[in-house]
Amino acid sequence: MSKEDLIRGLNEDLAAEWGTIIRYTYQSGKVTGVVGEEIRELFQTEIQDELGHAAYLTDVIADLGGEPTTDPKTFEKPDSIKGMLELDLEHELSDVESYTKHAKMAEELGEVELKVKLEEMAADESKHARDLRRILRGL
Ligand SMILES: [Fe+2]
Ligand SMILES: [Fe+2]
């Protein structure tokens, strides 16, 4: 495992963050009704978190000598609110897994600040997953 492997992994995370920012913005525009309004509010908060994650990853990839990606990961477009939230939950859980894995890689490479920050980001995504599960339980 090398610094290049870490940069590659962080760029996959960055592409996922750009994809999530676009997905939540897109879904905010598509949802309707009372539940839709609640979801829009949740997405507004989460988009701010994801923007912070994307900005941090961009900085750190550049600082490690890599080229930060600007290409978003693509996503499906379910019609129903339930389908959207289930998809979002899947993505959030996959982000938790990826940040946890990359935090371990950062630790092995002696990148202490990066390790801690990636663990905090894993915790943010885990909170997003919990928020989505709560709404899904009520649907
Ligand atoms: Fe994120
Ligand atoms: Fe998230």
Side-chain angles (χ1 to χ4, degrees):
M1 200 264 304
S2 66
K3 194 174 84 170
E4 281 63 40
D5 295 324
L6 179 61
I7 290 170
R8 200 173 310 118
L10 295 176
N11 253 327
E12 284 166 19
D13 293 337
L14 181 53
E17 292 289 353
W18 293 133
T20 297
I21 291 162
I22 295 170
R23 197 176 67 254
Y24 284 157
T25 305
Y26 165 79
Q27 291 177 342
S28 289
K30 293 283 285 186
V31 291
T32 54
V34 179
V35 178
E37 282 309 306
E38 283 173 28
I39 290 168
R40 281 167 71 92
E41 259 177 53
L42 175 67
F43 284 164
Q44 289 320 306
T45 318
E46 298 200 348
I47 286 169
Q48 294 310 312
D49 289 348
E50 315 300 21
L51 277 171
H53 297 166
Y56 176 76
L57 289 170
T58 299
D59 285 353
V60 97
I61 290 165
D63 289 341
L64 287 168
E67 175 60 25
T69 188
T70 54
D71 296 333
K73 188 171 159 185
T74 55
F75 52 87
E76 290 167 43
K77 294 174 177 173
D79 284 331
S80 69
I81 286 184
K82 190 161 185 277
M84 287 182 201
L85 296 182
E86 280 168 352
L87 175 73
D88 295 335
L89 179 59
E90 245 174 67
H91 279 270
E92 293 289 353
L93 292 174
S94 140
D95 293 345
V96 172
E97 211 174 287
S98 187
Y99 284 136
T100 306
K101 182 175 135 198
H102 295 149
K104 287 198 185 92
M105 286 170 74
E107 182 173 33
E108 281 173 38
L109 290 168
E111 298 284 348
V112 177
E113 183 247 342
L114 179 58
K115 179 225 175 211
V116 172
K117 189 78 187 177
L118 290 173
E119 282 174 349
E120 285 172 8
M121 284 159 60
D124 289 345
E125 311 300 14
S126 180
K127 163 75 164 64
H128 296 164
R130 187 156 61 82
D131 290 341
L132 290 167
R133 269 206 198 93
R134 190 183 308 111
I135 297 180
L136 274 165
R137 272 203 309 272
L139 291 180

